[in-house]
Amino acid sequence: MVQTIVILGGAVGGLHIAHALLKKNNKDIKVILVTKNSHFYWNLASVRAIVPNVIPDSEIFRPLSAALSRYPPESYELVIGTATSSDFSSKTVTVSLSSDAEPSSTRTLTYDHLVLATGARYADASTPWKADSSYEAVLSALHNTQSLASKAQHIVVAGAGATGIEVAGELGYEWGKTKEIVLLSAGSSLLGGDMVGPAAANELKKLNVSIKYDSRVVGSAKLDSGKTEIRLENGETIATDLYLATTGMVPNSEYVDARHLDADKKTVLVDEYLRVANVEGNNVWAVGDVVSKPRAGFMITQKQAASVAKNLELALAGKAPVVAKGPPVDILGCSVGRGRGAGRMNNFKLPSFGVWLAKGRTLGVQMVPGYIDGSVA
Ligand SMILES: Cc1cc2nc3c(=O)[nH]c(=O)nc-3n(C[C@H](O)[C@H](O)[C@H](O)COP(=O)(O)OP(=O)(O)OC[C@H]3O[C@@H](n4cnc5c(N)ncnc54)[C@H](O)[C@@H]3O)c2cc1C
């Protein structure tokens, strides 16, 4: 009998698993990929794409239909919509469909195995850092940010994690000599005290980016003048033409019952096989930023996707799962503008040129075709 595998989320985790399963051409499975955005979005390059005319939209947005249409039509289904609830005992997921024809219709999907790959979003929905809404909405957020950044004379980037550093670096590279670019760090260092922080700060200074430490943002409001006023925890306020927040990652796990989630972080709890905790039958799996274990990251998501694809195959064959593998080394690399970077491999500092060569030169855009032709899996 045909087994149905429902995958929620069509980004690097979910699409990887869909390819891995469909490539096997197993006539006994059907894959249903459910996702909010009709396109695969290479969000790792969004930090550079906010500068106009540097990365064409077509290089970072590719239709998911193009990725799946290479497989027999009866082997898969692509559903554009949002998972709004789930019932792991009746093995069902309810999806709010994003069809133009039926904007408010819902559909209940029944599965044999379910994969949660719905990632995480940034608290400020106007930012283009993730594919967290429809293709049209994310594209519009990207174009709007490009337009606002071009016009702004003063830009504040909040959050001194890797995304904030990369955004500030791209702005500094393009406009550091003509606009004021400020990076706000909540603490007294960048990257939460990681050893890469001082090198990243040094690179940002070369691009005329000012860094304000101990500047945790507690709120922001639009002023009548069109500027945004940012309020800091220490009582200070900053008025800016463009405020770009890279803070506050929220797991997209609202459709999952609380007993499967971390009580504080709301991330999905998994075991060493990436099976979701407290599920009778062990037929629900999770990967990527919705798990954020050991942390949210592309390479971690890729490795987890490969492990879940393998474990699904084993489960369908009635075999025991294997322990999920992580990346062999811990790499943290921040691209800083289009010419330099800062990073480490485990505890070894990487040279700026090396980070640029491995990451900053392209921001991985050359990997996108592999997600469309399936060679990534
Ligand atoms: C700007 C930026 C730069 C980055 N650079 C790096 C880097 O250089 N190196 C690195 O290792 N990591 C990097 N990351 C992290 C990396 O992007 C993530 O770890 C990776 O994207 C996680 O993929 P994911 O598949 O788990 O989910 P996400 O990318 O979060 O995507 C989730 C998908 O699920 C869909 N979805 C969400 N909710 C629902 C729902 N309820 N129902 C159906 N679909 C839903 C969304 O539309 C989306 O398609 C970066 C992140 C950002 C934001």
Side-chain angles (χ1 to χ4, degrees), residues 253-269:
S253 60
E254 289 83 355
Y255 61 91
V256 180
D257 191 274
R259 70 203 178 93
H260 310 290
L261 303 179
D262 180 281
D264 298 324
K265 298 181 198 144
K266 307 297 177 202
T267 46
V268 174
L269 297 171

Side-chain angles (χ1 to χ4, degrees), residues 15-243:
L15 184 57
H16 185 127
I17 295 170
H19 276 305
L21 295 171
L22 290 166
K23 276 169 89 169
K24 295 281 155 102
N25 199 18
N26 180 346
K27 304 258 183 303
D28 293 332
I29 64 165
K30 176 169 182 181
V31 172
I32 303 181
L33 182 63
V34 180
T35 190
K36 279 186 186 180
N37 195 301
S38 60
H39 283 57
F40 177 73
Y41 179 40
W42 190 250
N43 72 299
L44 282 76
S46 60
V47 294
R48 184 166 298 162
I50 60 170
V51 177
N53 307 318
V54 179
I55 304 180
D57 295 339
S58 59
E59 282 192 14
I60 52 172
F61 290 95
R62 301 288 282 273
L64 285 165
S65 55
L68 299 179
S69 60
R70 65 198 63 249
Y71 302 111
E74 65 281 5
S75 66
Y76 76 90
E77 190 183 351
L78 177 61
V79 177
I80 307 304
T82 303
T84 52
S85 65
S86 57
D87 182 341
F88 296 166
S89 32
S90 68
K91 301 185 195 169
T92 55
V93 178
T94 303
V95 177
S96 168
L97 300 173
S98 313
S99 127
D100 288 343
E102 300 168 278
S104 59
S105 60
T106 60
R107 187 170 154 192
T108 299
L109 300 169
T110 304
Y111 60 81
D112 295 292
H113 284 268
L114 176 68
V115 179
L116 316 182
T118 45
R121 62 184 182 273
Y122 283 84
D124 182 348
S126 68
T127 55
W129 316 135
K130 283 288 188 99
D132 190 53
S133 44
S134 69
Y135 164 62
E136 292 76 14
V138 177
L139 191 66
S140 154
L142 179 64
H143 290 171
N144 192 38
T145 309
Q146 288 172 350
S147 157
L148 293 171
S150 303
K151 290 180 202 144
Q153 277 310 307
H154 187 278
I155 305 176
V156 173
V157 179
T163 301
I165 289 169
E166 294 195 346
V167 170
E170 294 298 329
L171 297 173
Y173 184 91
E174 183 72 11
W175 291 304
K177 291 194 179 124
T178 55
K179 302 177 194 267
E180 201 174 337
I181 318 286
V182 182
L183 176 66
L184 302 180
S185 173
S188 56
S189 57
L190 302 187
L191 292 164
D194 189 281
M195 65 178 274
V196 177
N202 205 23
E203 295 296 346
L204 286 170
K205 277 180 206 143
K206 289 181 194 158
L207 298 175
N208 299 319
V209 174
S210 328
I211 304 172
K212 260 177 88 64
Y213 294 101
D214 300 313
S215 300
R216 182 181 297 279
V217 175
V218 290
S220 68
K222 256 297 193 224
L223 300 174
D224 290 341
S225 61
K227 287 183 185 284
T228 299
E229 184 178 80
I230 303 162
R231 290 192 316 283
L232 303 184
E233 199 176 43
N234 61 14
E236 201 182 322
T237 58
I238 304 170
T240 185
D241 299 322
L242 177 59
Y243 172 50

